[in-house]
Amino acid sequence: MHRCFILLFCSTVTLADGLPWLDDLPANAPLIEYYDEQPLPEPGSKLAVLVDRIDRDLRRATGFAQRLLATLRVRINYRLYTTGADATDITAWQRAYTEISIGRNPFERDPGGLRGYYAINDDSCQVFKVFPPKDNPQPPKSGLPLIVSMHGHGWQDWYRPFQLEGYSTDGAYVISVHGRGSADFKWIAEDDVLAAIDAVQADFPIDPSRVYLTGGSMGATGVFQVGAHYPHRFAAGFADSGNTDITAWSDFEAEDPADAYGALRARLRGLTSPIAFAENFLNLPLIITHCKTDSTVVHSQRMAKRLRAAGCRDYTFTLRDGEHVDLQPMADRFDALRRFRTNPWPYRVMLKAASYRQATAYWVTIRHFERRLEPAELDVRR
């Protein structure tokens, strides 16, 4: 079977000359809000020397060695952020660094816990957490399922460095991803999810046809966001009380009715919203649930309506009593998801994309966008 490349032509969008609001953006404006402060080693200390060596080697290393160095780095960061380091910690970290330098794995007896990967986009080490199966089964040749747990937004610690939530279960690996804090799992936060999955698949016996997305609140937004952009990488998703577009934050922003670029801004924001790409769930099953009295319940209702209108049939939508987020135990979520497997060659593919980053799904690829700021769409059959 050959990969299908399809050239698409999109409708025209007219823009005013120039974008002066970009000129008003501070030169050092971050892509997302700043993290809480991450404590640094005291300059000139043994730990500072060790961290400098790790950072130097990280940029040179590749593959497994780089992931081991990144894991050591995030574990050092975590200890500094939580309790601080003592002489015993530093000695253990120096020993681990030496083992990595001679090709050994100092974490071999500790396969779970905090892990790291090197993010080339901003020269940093990013964290995720691995939960091995509780029952420690013998993996089949195809590997074990992987459940990706995405955390909620929170209200008082939006950008602390270690936002991780997840729980182990029988018969599957679980990873908790950080997603760059509270960024709705968009942009570099989306990259974070994919990079963490890649790292786990490289180092653990994972069945690539049984990777599942789960999350509540902002984590459910992540299920919609990452699933809509990369449906071919996942077998199914479980989303509890997530938002599906930027209107979830409208109460926090005052729009200027005289803003000459309001329509453009709305268009750009729309292209970041997963509901705009609901067609992409044609072959990715979704289990959607939402508290019936929640202020954001309209988001799940709109997503279910869009899925139905797009012809997506493999989804369920349930309104429930309770709190904003009342996620089922991981074992129950896994029971609901475990029957699904990724089909890499579905008969029909619907793909909508606004960026080359998300322009491939299954056996089709969008190779050209004729109009800027306009998504391309396809609906093809083998």
Side-chain angles (χ1 to χ4, degrees):
M1 192 69 65
H2 298 285
R3 184 178 294 275
C4 175
F5 298 99
I6 298 177
L7 181 65
L8 297 171
F9 298 89
C10 306
S11 58
T12 303
V13 56
T14 302
L15 302 179
D17 292 335
L19 298 175
W21 54 273
L22 285 178
D23 298 332
D24 297 333
L25 196 65
N28 62 344
L31 292 175
I32 58 176
E33 295 180 31
Y34 292 111
Y35 284 169
D36 288 351
E37 183 177 352
Q38 169 68 53
L40 300 175
E42 183 179 346
S45 65
K46 289 183 178 180
L47 182 55
V49 172
L50 175 61
V51 166
D52 286 344
R53 289 175 178 172
I54 294 172
D55 290 347
R56 176 201 62 197
D57 292 353
L58 265 167
R59 300 181 183 100
R60 301 173 180 174
T62 59
F64 187 53
Q66 187 182 68
R67 292 192 295 276
L68 290 177
L69 288 166
T71 294
L72 177 57
R73 187 68 162 89
V74 299
R75 292 188 179 194
I76 292 173
N77 288 348
Y78 181 74
R79 182 58 64 88
L80 291 176
Y81 183 75
T82 53
T83 62
D86 57 26
T88 302
D89 294 324
I90 296 172
T91 299
W93 293 333
Q94 289 173 327
R95 187 182 306 115
Y97 171 73
T98 300
E99 290 187 40
I100 296 171
S101 300
I102 61 176
R104 295 178 181 173
N105 178 8
F107 313 113
E108 190 169 10
R109 296 183 180 180
D110 180 25
L114 295 182
R115 312 286 291 195
Y117 73 89
Y118 175 66
I120 193 172
N121 53 7
D122 65 351
D123 189 35
S124 68
C125 288
Q126 295 298 316
V127 66
F128 58 94
K129 191 171 184 179
V130 176
F131 299 84
K134 290 170 66 175
D135 54 351
N136 194 28
Q138 180 64 34
K141 287 186 178 180
S142 59
L144 291 169
L146 175 64
I147 303 170
V148 182
S149 176
M150 289 183 273
H151 63 81
H153 191 286
W155 288 109
Q156 297 178 340
D157 52 1
W158 289 7
Y159 290 95
R160 61 183 171 86
F162 297 92
Q163 292 194 61
L164 302 167
E165 61 184 37
Y167 313 92
S168 58
T169 189
D170 290 338
Y173 282 88
V174 178
I175 62 167
S176 176
V177 292
H178 180 237
R180 302 292 185 128
S182 297
D184 265 0
F185 293 98
K186 300 178 188 292
W187 305 301
I188 58 173
E190 185 177 88
D191 293 342
D192 179 85
V193 175
L194 299 178
I197 293 171
D198 289 342
V200 173
Q201 288 180 317
D203 296 338
F204 296 90
I206 303 300
D207 182 349
S209 72
R210 302 184 70 192
V211 180
Y212 306 105
L213 295 169
T214 70
S217 192
M218 189 188 75
T221 301
V223 174
F224 296 138
Q225 181 77 19
V226 179
H229 287 157
Y230 306 94
H232 56 290
R233 295 198 55 166
F234 305 102
F238 190 112
D240 184 354
S241 302
N243 80 69
T244 60
D245 61 66
I246 195 65
T247 61
W249 303 106
S250 58
D251 290 343
F252 298 87
E253 298 180 353
E255 294 288 348
D256 181 1
D259 182 3
Y261 297 98
L264 173 60
R265 186 175 291 108
R267 180 183 294 275
L268 292 173
R269 286 176 167 178
L271 294 179
T272 72
S273 299
I275 196 169
F277 304 93
E279 298 88 340
N280 297 350
F281 287 104
L282 179 67
N283 299 296
L284 178 58
L286 280 178
I287 299 171
I288 305 170
T289 181
H290 213 118
C291 173
K292 64 178 66 173
T293 59
D294 193 279
S295 62
T296 61
V297 67
V298 65
H299 285 264
S300 289
Q301 291 171 330
R302 285 200 298 253
M303 177 60 86
K305 184 177 180 179
R306 283 278 286 115
L307 292 170
R308 184 169 60 253
C312 303
R313 294 290 178 260
D314 211 348
Y315 75 93
T316 61
F317 173 46
T318 304
L319 291 173
R320 58 168 177 77
D321 296 318
E323 303 296 329
H324 166 58
V325 175
D326 188 17
L327 271 176
Q328 298 179 22
M330 188 64 72
D332 293 344
R333 280 181 270 167
F334 182 38
D335 284 342
L337 295 168
R338 67 194 311 158
R339 66 187 177 91
F340 298 108
R341 284 174 169 77
T342 303
N343 176 10
W345 295 97
Y347 170 70
R348 181 186 179 193
V349 174
M350 296 175 69
L351 177 60
K352 183 177 181 180
S355 165
Y356 288 110
R357 289 157 51 90
Q358 297 101 21
T360 293
Y362 306 103
W363 46 272
V364 296
T365 295
I366 297 170
R367 297 296 299 272
H368 178 68
F369 292 84
E370 186 180 60
R371 309 293 184 189
R372 293 183 180 181
L373 306 181
E374 283 288 331
E377 301 181 57
L378 61 85
D379 183 352
V380 293
R381 293 167 173 80
R382 287 196 287 118

